[in-house]
Amino acid sequence: MDERGEAVSTTEGRLEIFGIKGIGEVRPGDDIATLLKDTDLQDGDILVITSKIVSKAEGRIRQAPDRHSAIMEETTRVVARRGDTVISQTRHGFVMAAAGVDASNTEPGTVLLLPEDSDASARKIRKSLPATVGVIISDTFGRPWRHGLTDVAIGAAGVQPLEDFRGGVDTHGNPLSATVTALIDEIAAAAELVKGKLSGVPVAVVRGLSHLVTPEDGPGVRPLIRPADEDMFRYGSRDVVQARRTVTDFTDAPVDHQTVRRAVSAALTAPTVDGEVPWRLVLVDSPDVRSALHPAPYLAVPCLVDGVRDRDTRVALLGAAVENLLIQLAMEGLGSSWTPKDPREVAALLDLPESWEPMGVIAIGHPATPPADHPPADPEPYLLTR
């Protein structure tokens, strides 16, 4: 940007993109930089390499007649599921179909996993090349709300990953408050136009963007990965209920009180009879009381209170509210477990009114390990049709 904060083009507006042919089948142990030794590379070029050949060179090939087990091993969070299609968050932080496990362009009975660390792979390749170039490792992603696939960067070295226009103004003087361009994703998509899916061209050279090539390797692809707790669409709508899991092992990270209060608001959307809410929720802020009651970073105690309905009805309404609470906690990235506890002991520790009956204790915290995935259960054994 110039001194007025306006975007300035540092390129002549002309790009050249061409594929590199003749690389052939890549095998475990092959050196990608060596395979490119005859390529006419110039300082300032950007090399875009399909992740498949990096995975093959690094031996990320798995004998896997059961592709699903490989997907689950690479998954830290199932985001959405429809039939056999699983959208997963990988341990790299990517949200993508099948956790990036690919059964195409590989021997029958095998699958390809993503590179262990694509940024490190890009740095290694860049270091061995004869020219000062940028390196992007690309893979194919689907996109929410749009049909069709496009290539994006899953690893990078020596390329500016983002361009931040926030704080500047456009040509009409309007302030830019949310414009951050994913440069390496745009370059990866452009390069795919000459690589293609079936042409056997796994590498492309992008020439004309030397102003984006940096002397240092830089941060790689990490600045583009949105943390799950910042994701407004953390789960697919069909998968909200399936995302709830009983979690008993928590980290020491504190639990945000406002997050819990949002979950209480969700609990209040549960069914009622004539608007009656026959329950209250005690949030246990006191560390001493939590220590005496249950070893968890945060506690909530659902209590049944007097009402005009019979006890069985009130218990059912409380159960529905608690389920809403637990699901919303999962949506917020928190784990929870609802466990029974002697109501007299709990009431005494919390100094509750006599008319309040504690109905167990809900432990809340950040999961120490990703909750296990459970595919949707077959409902038939639990049904009786008349």
Side-chain angles (χ1 to χ4, degrees):
M1 293 188 181
D2 65 11
E3 65 272 14
R4 295 171 298 173
E6 296 181 345
V8 177
S9 173
T10 55
T11 161
E12 297 177 355
R14 179 184 178 90
L15 286 181
E16 181 183 0
I17 306 174
F18 56 92
I20 299 176
K21 299 181 180 180
I23 291 177
E25 182 65 23
V26 176
R27 308 272 179 199
D30 283 349
D31 183 84
I32 300 294
T34 299
L35 296 176
L36 300 174
K37 61 182 176 60
D38 294 328
T39 303
D40 178 24
L41 292 177
Q42 300 178 10
D43 288 345
D45 285 348
I46 299 175
L47 208 59
V48 183
I49 304 171
T50 300
S51 65
K52 285 186 180 66
I53 68 168
V54 179
S55 294
K56 289 180 179 180
E58 295 179 354
R60 298 283 288 164
I61 304 171
R62 172 76 55 83
Q63 295 291 331
D66 178 12
R67 184 183 177 214
H68 178 76
S69 61
I71 293 171
M72 288 301 102
E73 288 175 13
E74 294 293 297
T75 294
T76 61
R77 178 171 63 96
V78 173
V79 176
R81 185 196 301 273
R82 181 176 297 179
D84 294 333
T85 300
V86 177
I87 307 299
S88 303
Q89 179 179 326
T90 72
R91 53 190 171 70
H92 316 83
F94 308 136
V95 176
M96 58 193 307
V101 176
D102 198 340
S104 64
N105 293 303
T106 185
E107 296 286 341
T110 67
V111 295
L112 287 176
L113 311 183
L114 292 179
E116 189 77 33
D117 182 341
S118 295
D119 284 335
S121 302
R123 292 192 295 268
K124 179 181 177 182
I125 294 168
R126 184 186 194 225
K127 184 178 180 180
S128 300
L129 293 172
T132 302
V133 302
V135 174
I136 293 173
I137 296 175
S138 67
D139 202 271
T140 303
F141 275 48
R143 299 161 299 158
W145 308 296
R146 296 180 73 88
H147 288 299
L149 306 173
T150 188
D151 267 34
V152 303
I154 66 167
V159 189
Q160 180 183 335
L162 296 168
E163 190 162 18
D164 191 345
F165 293 96
R166 292 173 299 180
V169 295
D170 65 15
T171 54
H172 297 283
N174 300 308
L176 301 176
S177 60
T179 305
V180 181
T181 302
L183 295 171
I184 53 177
D185 281 351
E186 292 186 328
I187 297 168
E192 184 60 17
L193 293 173
V194 300
K195 290 190 294 174
K197 299 299 179 191
L198 303 175
S199 58
V201 179
V203 182
V205 176
V206 179
R207 184 167 291 165
L209 296 175
S210 59
H211 62 290
L212 300 181
V213 176
T214 60
E216 302 80 18
D217 287 334
V221 79
R222 288 294 158 193
L224 275 71
I225 299 174
R226 177 180 287 122
D229 58 1
E230 296 178 10
D231 189 352
M232 294 177 67
F233 309 97
R234 185 181 179 92
Y235 290 96
S237 58
R238 292 173 180 235
D239 304 274
V240 168
V241 175
Q242 294 288 342
R244 192 211 64 78
R245 293 286 177 270
T246 295
V247 176
T248 57
D249 189 15
F250 305 104
T251 70
D252 294 329
V255 172
D256 178 59
H257 295 193
Q258 292 305 315
T259 300
V260 177
R261 282 164 171 75
R262 286 196 295 271
V264 177
S265 292
L268 286 165
T269 68
T272 62
V273 178
D274 296 332
E276 181 186 5
V277 180
W279 55 267
R280 297 293 183 269
L281 199 69
V282 182
L283 302 183
V284 185
D285 284 337
S286 167
D288 292 338
V289 176
R290 288 203 306 270
S291 178
L293 195 56
H294 195 289
Y298 202 84
L299 298 178
V301 178
C303 296
L304 199 66
V305 298
D306 287 342
V308 298
R309 304 293 163 185
D310 62 274
R311 188 176 189 279
D312 287 348
T313 299
R314 288 182 287 124
V315 168
L317 295 176
L318 179 141
V322 169
E323 180 69 0
N324 275 18
L325 177 84
L326 301 182
I327 290 171
Q328 184 61 36
L329 289 172
M331 295 301 96
E332 299 279 2
L334 293 171
S336 62
S337 57
W338 187 16
T339 57
K341 204 80 172 177
D342 184 337
R344 292 168 297 181
E345 176 190 348
V346 175
L349 278 168
L350 297 177
D351 191 23
L352 297 179
E354 284 189 14
S355 61
W356 289 28
E357 180 185 355
M359 303 293 286
V361 173
I362 300 172
I364 303 169
H366 296 272
T369 57
D373 175 58
H374 295 300
D378 179 5
E380 291 304 320
Y382 306 94
L383 298 177
L384 180 63
T385 304
R386 291 287 190 251

